[in-house]
Amino acid sequence: MSAAWKAPSTAADQPLASPRRSGRVALLAGFGGMFLLLGGMAVHSLTSLTRMERQRTDAERLFLAKAQLLEHLRSDIYSESIELRQYVLAAEAEDADSSREALRVLHSEIAESIKAYESLAGGDEAKSLDAVKQAWGSYSAAVGRVLEWDHSTRRRQGRDFLARAPEVQRLRVLSVSERINALNERHLRGETDRSIESLSNFRERVLGLTAVTVLLGLILTTLVVRHILKLEADRSARYRQLLHAQEELHELSAELVKAQEAERRNIARELHDQVGQTLGALLMDVGRALNELKGDSTARTLLAAAKEGAERAVNEVRNLGLLLRPSMLDDLGLAPAIHWQAREVSRRTGLRVDVDASELPDTLPDEHRTCVFRIVQEALNNAGRHANASLVQIAVRQEPERLMVVVRDNGVGFDPHYGRGMGIVGMEERVRHLGGVFELQSEPGKGTLLKVELPITDLGAAEG
């Protein structure tokens, strides 16, 4: 409907960018520091837990390996004892040879088990392991000599051999292996105790790190909150400044509107009282002069042209005065002024204007009458000049405690978000100054609907 207009940015808008950036930096720094602390604590916790888990797993794996070797060693020793008895008491040479071969295999496996355990044994197991090796060496040497017997020697001396020292040596090996197993279990318990101690230390470290993290987090949070509160205070101060500047602009706009209306009223009065009366007197003088001249046709023609020009000037001055401030708005009221404005627009533009403005009170405040008239005037001008409308409907009615104004046209419409010109802004400023509600609805190709609601709660006092 009117040219697009954009309000200029004020200087108070510009400093807000720096506090926004400062606030973002403070938030990033604060929460970034918190995340770093939490991340560091998480990494330390995971590293410590992984190390303790690895130590526990290694201890369990070592214990199981040692236990399996000892169990295999004891099993081989028992099997060797059984094979030795079978070898010594064998009745047939073939059975004795088979037992001899089995004994040699068992001796080899026992020696490998002792050697394998020796690679896994700790310092506290060295003495016990030496005892096992010594006992096994003695036992193995005695058994080795028996394996060299022939069939008759074995039959003759076998039972005596079983009743002598080899059994004692074998039992000694088993006893020492039991002590080694006890040492292995004690070593596992020691590792378990160390794991528990490590876990306890880890718990204390985690508690300490948590306390430090919480403390630093509180410090960071305090600093960030203080900074944000300061920024919020600065923003609130700037916002109050903006509100104050906006209120001053509204007050200035209202004063300008009042001054404009007063100036229009004065100019219209001056045109009517001074220029209009002067032109009227001139028109009367020209008329008398025209009546006095009888025979001079040239002078009469000139005077007639002057009279016609004076009449046009009088009409233009009267119309100009009515456009500036129609006297009927003050003399007859709002409804006649709106009807006159509608007729004038229809006469000039050919636009059909339907007005429903009956039963309006004569005691409306002057500001309300002026506001409604200027809104209707601006809406009609926009519909005739910009909207290419053929019909405008105007409804002004009084409701309880409010005055409603509705102007609808069937023009080309526009986008209210991008087409708010100075005329629309002026209407909105007038309505806002009176505490009313201004609503503008329009879409391209669907016409325009203007709704204004003005409070008139003080009308009763005005009537009284």
Side-chain angles (χ1 to χ4, degrees):
M1 293 173 66
S2 56
W5 177 82
K6 183 178 180 181
S9 60
T10 61
D13 295 328
Q14 305 303 324
L16 294 177
S18 178
R20 281 197 201 99
R21 286 195 297 270
S22 180
R24 286 196 292 266
V25 170
L27 287 174
L28 289 175
F31 288 105
M34 286 290 296
F35 283 133
L36 286 176
L37 288 174
L38 293 175
M41 188 174 72
V43 170
H44 175 75
S45 300
L46 289 175
T47 304
S48 299
L49 286 174
T50 302
R51 185 178 65 254
M52 288 188 293
E53 181 67 20
R54 186 170 58 251
Q55 291 175 351
R56 185 183 64 82
T57 303
D58 292 343
E60 290 180 352
R61 188 180 294 113
L62 180 61
F63 172 77
L64 290 176
K66 289 181 178 180
Q68 288 177 356
L69 285 174
L70 289 176
E71 184 64 28
H72 189 62
L73 180 62
R74 286 194 293 267
S75 176
D76 287 345
I77 291 175
Y78 282 121
S79 298
E80 192 272 344
S81 176
I82 295 172
E83 289 294 337
L84 180 61
R85 179 174 294 275
Q86 290 179 354
Y87 167 74
V88 171
L89 300 178
E92 300 293 335
E94 292 179 358
D95 295 337
D97 292 339
S98 176
S99 296
R100 182 188 297 112
E101 187 62 29
L103 284 171
R104 287 173 178 170
V105 172
L106 287 172
H107 275 229
S108 176
E109 291 179 355
I110 292 171
E112 289 179 359
S113 297
I114 294 174
K115 185 177 180 180
Y117 193 93
E118 187 177 11
S119 64
L120 300 176
D124 54 350
E125 298 174 301
K127 293 182 178 180
S128 299
L129 189 60
D130 290 339
V132 170
K133 291 167 63 178
Q134 183 179 1
W136 175 252
S138 300
Y139 178 75
S140 179
V143 172
R145 289 192 297 271
V146 172
L147 295 179
E148 299 299 328
W149 289 349
D150 54 16
H151 181 66
S152 59
T153 305
R154 178 175 55 79
R155 295 287 300 272
R156 188 174 58 253
Q157 300 181 11
R159 294 185 179 277
D160 294 336
F161 173 78
L162 293 176
R164 295 197 309 266
E167 181 66 21
V168 176
Q169 295 293 336
R170 182 181 63 80
L171 293 176
R172 183 182 176 191
V173 171
L174 293 175
S175 176
V176 173
S177 67
E178 291 293 339
R179 289 204 306 270
I180 293 176
N181 189 44
L183 288 174
N184 189 26
E185 293 178 353
R186 189 173 66 184
H187 178 72
L188 178 62
R189 286 194 297 271
E191 290 295 330
T192 302
D193 293 339
R194 280 192 292 274
S195 298
I196 294 174
E197 183 179 0
S198 298
L199 183 61
S200 178
N201 294 333
F202 169 73
R203 186 183 297 109
E204 293 177 358
R205 288 196 302 273
V206 169
L207 289 176
L209 286 174
T210 303
V212 172
T213 302
V214 170
L215 179 61
L216 293 178
L218 289 175
I219 294 174
L220 285 173
T221 303
T222 302
L223 293 176
V224 171
V225 168
R226 288 182 59 184
H227 187 71
I228 291 176
L229 290 177
K230 183 177 180 299
L231 292 178
E232 185 67 25
D234 293 341
R235 287 179 63 87
S236 298
R238 288 184 175 86
Y239 182 69
R240 287 193 296 270
Q241 292 175 1
L242 288 175
L243 288 180
H244 182 66
Q246 189 177 23
E247 290 296 328
E248 289 182 344
L249 287 175
H250 288 326
E251 292 176 3
L252 177 61
S253 175
E255 293 298 326
L256 288 175
V257 170
K258 289 181 180 179
Q260 182 187 50
E261 291 297 331
E263 188 68 19
R264 285 181 174 182
R265 186 182 289 108
N266 292 333
I267 294 175
R269 187 181 297 114
E270 290 295 326
L271 287 174
H272 180 271
D273 295 343
Q274 299 296 328
V275 180
Q277 291 180 6
T278 301
L279 289 175
L282 176 61
L283 185 61
M284 293 176 61
D285 291 341
V286 172
R288 283 197 302 269
L290 186 60
N291 292 331
E292 293 295 331
L293 290 175
K294 300 296 184 183
D296 192 346
S297 60
T298 302
R300 288 180 61 84
T301 300
L302 293 174
L303 287 175
K307 182 180 180 182
E308 183 179 353
E311 289 176 350
R312 286 199 304 269
V314 169
N315 290 330
E316 290 296 330
V317 169
R318 184 176 63 252
N319 291 334
L320 183 60
L322 289 174
L323 288 175
L324 287 173
R325 177 75 181 188
S327 58
M328 63 185 68
L329 183 61
D330 299 320
D331 300 336
L332 301 179
L334 178 60
I338 292 176
H339 282 282
W340 171 82
Q341 182 67 37
R343 288 194 301 272
E344 286 296 310
V345 171
S346 295
R347 181 179 60 81
R348 291 197 312 268
T349 64
L351 182 65
R352 176 186 169 186
V353 181
D354 295 338
V355 179
D356 180 12
S358 59
E359 299 182 1
L360 291 178
D362 297 332
T363 55
L364 282 174
D366 181 65
E367 287 187 336
H368 286 66
R369 286 188 284 116
T370 302
C371 176
V372 173
F373 179 78
R374 293 304 181 193
I375 287 174
V376 172
Q377 186 181 48
E378 181 67 27
L380 287 174
N381 289 335
N382 288 339
R385 293 165 55 189
H386 304 291
N388 296 326
S390 60
L391 173 64
V392 179
Q393 297 172 316
I394 301 173
V396 183
R397 63 181 182 274
Q398 179 189 357
E399 297 182 358
E401 298 186 349
R402 67 177 181 174
L403 185 67
M404 296 294 298
V405 182
V406 179
V407 182
R408 185 193 303 272
D409 68 53
N410 62 349
V412 296
F414 68 105
D415 188 349
H417 296 93
Y418 301 100
R420 302 175 71 85
M422 288 296 297
I424 296 176
V425 173
M427 288 191 288
E428 191 171 4
E429 285 293 328
R430 288 177 182 270
V431 173
R432 184 184 291 111
H433 173 65
L434 296 179
V437 178
F438 181 89
E439 182 180 354
L440 182 63
Q441 300 176 7
S442 182
E443 292 183 23
K446 295 186 178 181
T448 301
L449 175 63
L450 173 64
K451 293 182 180 180
V452 173
E453 177 183 334
L454 296 177
I456 50 175
T457 53
D458 56 345
L459 185 59
E463 290 177 348

